[in-house]
Amino acid sequence: MRYLLSMLKKKYVTGLLMVAALLTGCGADQAIKKGDKALALGEYFDAATQYKKAYSQTPPKQRKLRGQLALKMGDCYRRINYTQKAIAAYNNAIRYKQHDSLTHLYLGQQLMKNGQYKEAAKQFQAELDSIFGKENMDDVVTLAKTGLRSAQQAPAWKQEGSAYTVKRENFFNSRRSEYSPMLGGDEWNQLFFTSTRNQSKGDDLSGITGTKNADIFLSQKDDKGKWQHPEAIDSELNSEGEEGACSFSPDGRTMYLTLCKMDPDYPRFATIATSSRTDAAWSKPTDLKLTYDTLSTYAHPAVSPDGEWLYFTSNMPGGQGGYDIWRVRLTTSGLGGVENLGTPINTPGDEMFPTFRPNGDLYFSSNGHEGMGGLDIYIAHVVSNVTLNDELETGNEEIINGSHYSLEHPGYPLNSQGDDFGMTFEGLKNQGFFSSNRGDGKGWDHIFSFYNPEIVQTVTGWVYEQDGYELSAGQVYMVGNDGTNLKLNVKGDGSFTQQIKPGVDYVFLGTCKGFLNHQEQLRVEPVKESEEYVLQFPLASISAPVLIDNIFYDFDKATLRPESAEALDQLVTLLEENPNVTIELSAHCDYKGSADYNKRLSQRRAESVVRYLIEHGIASDRLTPVGYGKDKAKRIRRKVAEKYPFLKENDVLTEEFIKTLDEEQQELCNQLNRRTEFRVLRTTYGLFNKN
């Protein structure tokens, strides 16, 4: 009986073990199938979760399968920045002898991101040893050699440091990812950034990252210059899909952004879209068709400071390898053809997140150049404009689409062992924000500020209607005796900011359709600290009368008072700058006194101004003096109405209107009526000969 019971017990236990093994194998197979499906869709977080489940259910004796699963886990963790887990998974794949031709390279790159430079160097050397003599491995050899040099140099870069100061800005950060900050607004008082925080739209978690899909958030400064709590943009801009990595046209009215639409059955390829600003709201994004290739990724748009080019990241065919930086021309009639930036910017690795400093320098991030680990920030300085026929052989400098660029690695602490990317600048100053996942165990990105105390000389100017408001359609032409020849677009408030060089003489010409030109000159002297010059460009309308401020006459006479000279000299300059213009110079009185007397007085006053202009070199046949007396009462413009609340735009200051007001308001209106103006008669003076 004891023996029989013993045999039955043994058979029972053996049966349980067999059933458990079958169930374990079945569970692992199901997890592998789910993992492979998620991987095919690019859902790396979900794929890694399934492979980890299968790995834990696979007996240690099945070394080959465990090694294969470890390799797949490593690739997934690498893609979602789970660095520590990727390192452990790749080490297991190597231990089980299931690594492939890229495992040592990828492990070395992950060790770099973890700051383990000596161990990384060993892996890069192992990669080079394992592929020695193999064909079609040139790109891998290049990346492994670059990685080896990086591992050897990174400790010295960190110890050497740089002039940059970097600070993590926790006010903008959450417990999830924030990245690609972008400053906007006329005073750089808006900070847009991408975030996967819980306030993002939708309830589902992304199979790619394991977090919510990203939305674009906005923080704005209040009247005291303090940043306000970030909020998701409340419009059709954000959806339940992915939105992020945005950039703006120079006038701030068009946003270029990255979209990744949701599709449960097909891989999701990122695309670039545009959104327009109406008042304070951003419209629903519209896809921007860069090419007819629907199987490549297009992301990270960046508009050049002149608004003529859109730079972006793509893995489309024809590049240097991995993700490259490309560009396409923006024209009024549509997009031009796409161009690859080529070397030295692009490499067999990944070049991503292009952005511009307003001085024209291109900033981008790469893991294919020598760096400190992960994505490092690099600067492509525009040295000079050259023709494509020129040939340069200067090592780290090369012609890129007609421009001469020189690459710079800005060092530590702007760069770190983690991913560093997504620069944005506060005007021309070398300060602003960027994103990095340094020090985050889960690999999530956060926003950092940076500052470099370099000496920067700038000029800021405002283009506006004389006696009116800003001209956002204005343009400024900038010419320097060093060969500078630029066309500057203005922002929504009519302003522009441009970097200038010491020892250079500049001429600036403010222009706008429907207005006369205005010129300013500037001599830039060397300085020991940053300095900003300020210029004003008041443009006179061609179609409406223009008030000449600060013209004073003796009481009841036509004699010009000495304090009128400054305003009249400015009018002389205006006519010299616009030599093809003829004007009517008019003087006006209030309604007091007889009509005949007022007309004679105003005629004499207009003639006094014309005599002054002729004495200062303006041809008499360009000037027509007219005294209107009280015949043409002033029409109130919006700016005057804002200054005097009792007046409304388009009110006409007739005698009847004025007498409805109180005594103080009447006197003010009479002062407004007593004025000297000019209006443009012709813009073709001197352009044609007498015949």
Side-chain angles (χ1 to χ4, degrees), residues 308-327:
E308 294 186 1
W309 294 93
L310 177 68
Y311 288 66
F312 61 94
T313 297
S314 179
N315 60 351
M316 75 175 85
Q320 306 296 312
Y323 286 92
D324 277 7
I325 296 177
W326 302 68
R327 72 176 187 172

Side-chain angles (χ1 to χ4, degrees), residues 208-278:
I208 302 173
T209 62
T211 64
K212 295 186 73 172
N213 287 326
D215 278 348
I216 298 177
F217 284 72
L218 171 63
S219 176
Q220 301 190 72
K221 285 184 177 179
D222 61 18
D223 295 338
K224 297 180 180 179
K226 183 178 179 181
W227 289 107
Q228 300 300 291
H229 186 75
E231 300 286 347
I233 294 179
D234 187 18
S235 72
E236 292 185 295
L237 180 71
N238 289 317
S239 70
E240 293 190 1
E242 295 258 0
E243 292 86 20
C246 64
S247 177
F248 300 98
S249 59
D251 62 9
R253 295 176 182 174
T254 302
M255 177 191 293
Y256 295 82
L257 66 154
T258 306
L259 291 186
C260 192
K261 297 178 181 178
M262 300 176 66
D263 193 321
D265 300 318
Y266 295 95
R268 284 166 281 177
F269 299 99
T271 60
I272 292 174
T274 61
S275 173
S276 300
R277 187 184 67 186
T278 304

Side-chain angles (χ1 to χ4, degrees), residues 477-486 500-501 503-508 522 524:
Y477 294 87
M478 171 181 171
V479 178
N481 62 359
D482 64 339
T484 298
N485 192 343
L486 299 174
I500 48 181
K501 301 175 184 176
V504 178
D505 294 324
Y506 293 100
V507 176
F508 297 84
L522 181 64
V524 183

Side-chain angles (χ1 to χ4, degrees), residues 666-683:
Q666 287 186 33
E667 178 53 31
L668 178 60
C669 289
N670 285 327
Q671 290 177 17
L672 292 174
N673 266 333
R674 295 191 294 267
R675 67 199 190 277
T676 303
E677 296 176 332
F678 75 86
R679 66 183 181 92
V680 175
L681 298 177
R682 292 168 50 209
T683 58

